[in-house]
């Protein structure tokens, strides 16, 4: 039997909606409640569900169409889930267009499955699971993570609407890892967002009070015109992570300045060599290398605090996050095993990671597992700043703009290129003297890289 699927009543005073995306093609087998199209009205975006089990006969609208409430959008054959009557078969045979459409739909499905499979193949195990367990010990009991599930299933078998799958793909979430909270464990949009948020926070749920802010806002419109805008996902994640860190980590800030006059000469001399490999030799890449040596030398800075078990977790790997300023806000891609890579390799990788972050190509697992962060605002300017520690790391290095300054050396002022550095650290683990020693060592290493040999 052929049935019609119409645009239903959406809300009071809403008479139409625009088709953002059609999620099925003629010939697709669907179940009741499967999403057929993504729609947007004045009031909200929503998915149009199928009212029946069956096979889509016709798609009567196109993307971009404005559809009136009650207008037929799809017809569906409900006679035995795709088994067509002989008349219908005849009709279908004579319709080359429809079979082409079906072929296209099948290809689209295969492409999506292939893409998901490739994405799955590329995915590595979670950093929390991979890196924080010494190989000779039994895996420590993991904090029950609300959104985590075993990854034995394939993405295609995860119950989720196409729009939710697309959201997961776009923000780089492996949907097989997300626990669905919808009917029959269906993965919902909120599940994907919650999972992404948890991953960006380093795999731990935010402190219960991380976003609690009961400050009563005044009515700003009393003072002038205002505009309200919803926070996007990255802004919400950053807000929660930063508030959680600020509330839970007792911060201390240490400042110093490095004389980078010689280092700058070196950087200019060697930048051509690095350029041949396709990247710029920047102060960030050099700092990555020197910081990796410092983290080996001062292992407390390469550790995490486990207050639940009253333990310090020392890590025998050096993964460093680099804060990248993107259109969408702050992202912190992680460069792995920095201590094992050359400055040229680090320059190339830093460049690639920053590009990926800016072009929305970065995956959640590439934002995880950092033991330390470098935040260089020097390209923009400023004389100093105090970055917030990125939990569960215990320290972050802030880099401001280097500039020529008169420095009193051997009885006279000399023009030197000075780089302001700030170190923010977690006082639960790191004492003031440790902080000063770490930063001083870094300064010495920038002024005379031979220091790193000792
Ligand atoms: N002092 C002076 N000049 C600096 C500098 C510094 N500390 N850091 C960078 N520069 C210069 C570079 O030499 C480059 O100059 P040229 O174009 O003349 O060669 C220019 O600024 C741009 O540098 P860059 O940004 O391309 O390269 P980078 O490796 O130094 O930085 C990255 C990479 C990803 C760290 C940077 O692009 C970025 O996004 N910074 C913002 C980080 C941020 O938002 N932090 C705040 C987080 S809150 O804690």
């Amino acid at each position: 039997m052929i049935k019609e699927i119409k645009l239903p009543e959406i809300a009071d005073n809403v008479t139409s909606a625009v088709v953002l995306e059609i999620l099925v093609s003629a010939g697709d087998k669907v179940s009741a409640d499967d999403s057929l199209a993504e729609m947007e009205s004045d009031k909200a975006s929503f998915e149009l569900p199928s009212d029946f089990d069956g096979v889509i006969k016709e798609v009567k609208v196109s993307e971009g169409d404005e559809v009136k409430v009650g207008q037929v959008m799809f017809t569906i054959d409900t006679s035995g889930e795709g088994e067509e009557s002989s008349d219908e078969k005849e009709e279908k045979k004579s319709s080359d267009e429809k079979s082409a459409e079906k072929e296209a739909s099948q290809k689209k499905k295969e492409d999506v499955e292939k893409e998901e499979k490739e994405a799955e193949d590329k995915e590595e195990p979670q950093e929390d699971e991979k890196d924080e367990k010494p190989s000779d010990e039994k895996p420590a009991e993991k904090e029950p993570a609300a959104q985590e599930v075993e990854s034995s299933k394939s993405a295609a078998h995860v119950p989720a609407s196409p729009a939710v799958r697309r959201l997961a793909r776009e923000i780089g979430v492996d949907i097989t890892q997300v626990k669905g909270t919808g009917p029959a464990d269906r993965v919902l949009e909120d599940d994907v967002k919650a999972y992404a948020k948890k991953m960006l926070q380093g795999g731990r749920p935010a402190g219960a009070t991380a976003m609690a802010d009961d400050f009563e806002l005044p009515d700003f419109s009393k003072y002038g015109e205002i505009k309200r805008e919803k926070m996007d996902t990255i802004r919400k994640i950053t807000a929660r992570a930063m508030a959680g860190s600020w509330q839970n980590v007792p911060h201390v800030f240490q400042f110093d300045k490095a004389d980078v006059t010689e280092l700058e000469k070196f950087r200019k001399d060697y930048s051509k060599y690095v350029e041949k490999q396709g990247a710029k030799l920047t102060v960030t890449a050099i700092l990555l290398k020197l910081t990796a040596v410092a983290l080996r030398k001062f292992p407390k800075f390469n550790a995490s605090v486990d207050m639940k078990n009253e333990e310090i977790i020392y890590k025998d790997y050096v993964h460093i996050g680099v804060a990248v300023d993107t259109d969408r806000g702050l992202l912190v891609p992680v460069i792995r095993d920095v201590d094992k890579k050359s400055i040229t390799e680090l320059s190339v990788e830093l460049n690639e990671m920053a590009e990926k972050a800016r072009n929305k190509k970065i995956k959640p697992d590439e934002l995880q597992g950092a033991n330390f962060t470098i935040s260089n605002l020097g390209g923009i300017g400023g004389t100093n700043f105090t970055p917030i520690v990125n939990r569960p790391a215990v320290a972050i290095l802030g880099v401001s703009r280097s500039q020529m300054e008169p420095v009193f050396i051997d009885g006279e002022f000399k023009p030197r290129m000075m780089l302001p550095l700030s170190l923010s650290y977690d006082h639960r683990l790191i004492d003031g003297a440790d902080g000063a020693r770490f930063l001083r060592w870094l300064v010495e290493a920038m002024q005379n890289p031979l220091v790193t040999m000792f």
Side-chain angles (χ1 to χ4, degrees), residues 382-409:
T383 54
N384 235 319
F385 70 111
T386 54
I388 308 287
V389 171
N390 195 12
R391 284 193 300 172
V394 289
I396 178 167
L397 181 73
V399 187
S400 294
R401 170 162 250 155
S402 57
Q403 59 178 2
M404 292 305 275
E405 285 178 16
V407 179
F408 201 64
I409 304 169

Side-chain angles (χ1 to χ4, degrees), residues 242 264 267 280-285 287 322-326 329-332 350-351 354 358 373-380 385-388 396-403 417-420:
M242 293 300 103
E264 276 298 290
R267 195 172 72 82
K280 268 172 37 179
L281 176 57
T282 62
V283 72
T284 313
L287 265 168
V322 179
V324 176
D325 174 38
T326 78
L330 171 68
L331 286 175
V332 187
L350 173 63
N351 193 44
R358 288 179 176 135
T373 310
I374 297 179
S375 176
N376 179 9
L377 283 176
I380 301 169
F385 70 111
T386 54
I388 308 287
I396 178 167
L397 181 73
V399 187
S400 294
R401 170 162 250 155
S402 57
Q403 59 178 2
M417 181 64 85
M418 301 302 289
L419 180 73

Side-chain angles (χ1 to χ4, degrees), residues 288-333:
L288 266 168
K289 187 71 206 171
L290 295 176
T291 304
V293 184
L295 291 175
R296 285 281 183 204
K297 210 167 167 49
F298 300 89
K300 263 194 195 176
F301 286 80
N302 201 39
S304 282
V305 179
D306 178 356
M307 285 312 289
K308 248 189 233 157
N309 297 304
E310 297 180 336
E311 283 176 356
I312 300 163
I313 304 165
Y314 290 97
K315 297 156 202 168
D316 194 17
Y317 54 87
V318 180
H319 300 345
I320 301 180
V322 179
V324 176
D325 174 38
T326 78
D327 287 351
R328 298 178 294 156
L330 171 68
L331 286 175
V332 187

Side-chain angles (χ1 to χ4, degrees), residues 110-389:
E110 281 168 14
D111 285 348
V112 170
E113 278 169 15
K114 193 170 158 229
E115 200 183 297
E116 283 171 343
K117 173 88 177 56
E118 280 170 2
E120 258 178 67
D121 290 345
K122 276 190 218 147
E123 301 253 335
E124 286 177 25
Q126 299 281 303
E127 282 312 314
D128 280 354
E129 292 163 15
K130 189 174 72 175
D131 291 323
E132 292 192 3
K133 290 171 202 158
S135 54
D136 54 345
E137 277 177 26
K138 271 195 195 163
E141 228 173 66
K142 244 180 124 217
E143 217 173 80
Q147 285 83 24
E148 267 180 36
V149 288
E150 297 93 56
S151 64
S152 53
K153 55 191 172 181
S154 86
H157 296 112
V158 175
S161 72
V164 169
R165 286 176 198 285
R166 194 176 52 250
L167 170 72
R169 268 199 304 279
E170 275 174 8
I171 62 174
V173 163
D174 173 3
I175 202 160
T176 64
Q177 296 293 306
V178 182
K179 181 165 169 50
T181 59
D185 295 337
R186 198 171 173 79
V187 175
L188 308 176
E189 187 180 321
D190 282 348
D191 298 328
V192 172
K193 287 180 179 168
Y195 182 80
K197 180 179 81 186
K198 189 175 74 71
M199 292 188 86
L200 288 176
Q201 285 166 343
R204 277 144 226 255
T209 57
M211 257 312 241
D213 186 351
D214 50 12
F215 180 74
E216 200 58 45
L217 289 172
D219 175 8
F220 297 109
S221 63
K222 279 196 304 205
Y223 313 117
E225 220 166 278
I226 59 161
K227 180 179 118 191
R228 278 186 171 267
E229 191 178 273
K230 280 268 168 245
M231 286 184 177
D232 62 24
T233 311
I234 291 183
R235 180 49 46 208
K236 283 188 267 186
I237 291 167
T238 305
R240 289 203 176 92
M242 293 300 103
S245 186
W246 188 245
Q247 286 170 6
N248 293 289
V249 175
H251 280 70
V252 179
F253 307 105
Q254 174 77 28
F255 305 98
D256 214 326
K257 266 183 187 175
D259 182 338
V260 291
T261 318
E262 300 307 320
L263 194 77
E264 276 298 290
K265 276 191 207 141
F266 166 88
R267 195 172 72 82
K268 287 199 176 109
D269 290 349
Y270 279 80
S271 64
K272 285 205 180 70
Y273 175 76
V274 176
E275 265 162 35
K276 274 193 205 141
Q277 319 292 315
K280 268 172 37 179
L281 176 57
T282 62
V283 72
T284 313
I286 295 171
L287 265 168
L288 266 168
K289 187 71 206 171
L290 295 176
T291 304
V293 184
L295 291 175
R296 285 281 183 204
K297 210 167 167 49
F298 300 89
K300 263 194 195 176
F301 286 80
N302 201 39
S304 282
V305 179
D306 178 356
M307 285 312 289
K308 248 189 233 157
N309 297 304
E310 297 180 336
E311 283 176 356
I312 300 163
I313 304 165
Y314 290 97
K315 297 156 202 168
D316 194 17
Y317 54 87
V318 180
H319 300 345
I320 301 180
V322 179
V324 176
D325 174 38
T326 78
D327 287 351
R328 298 178 294 156
L330 171 68
L331 286 175
V332 187
V334 179
I335 316 259
R336 316 223 166 239
D337 298 312
V338 178
D339 55 333
K340 297 183 183 142
K341 293 176 180 163
S342 69
I343 291 188
T344 305
E345 286 170 325
L346 292 171
S347 303
V348 172
E349 198 172 334
L350 173 63
N351 193 44
E352 283 170 2
M353 284 297 208
E355 282 293 304
K356 272 170 133 185
R358 288 179 176 135
N359 297 333
K360 304 184 186 174
K361 296 267 166 22
I362 202 92
K363 288 186 184 165
D365 66 315
E366 291 172 313
L367 300 169
Q368 280 209 293
N371 304 345
F372 187 92
T373 310
I374 297 179
S375 176
N376 179 9
L377 283 176
I380 301 169
T383 54
N384 235 319
F385 70 111
T386 54
I388 308 287
V389 171

Side-chain angles (χ1 to χ4, degrees), residues 47-59:
E47 288 174 12
L48 178 81
S50 173
D51 300 327
F52 317 98
D53 294 343
V55 174
I56 298 293
K57 286 292 294 173
E58 272 179 291
V59 179

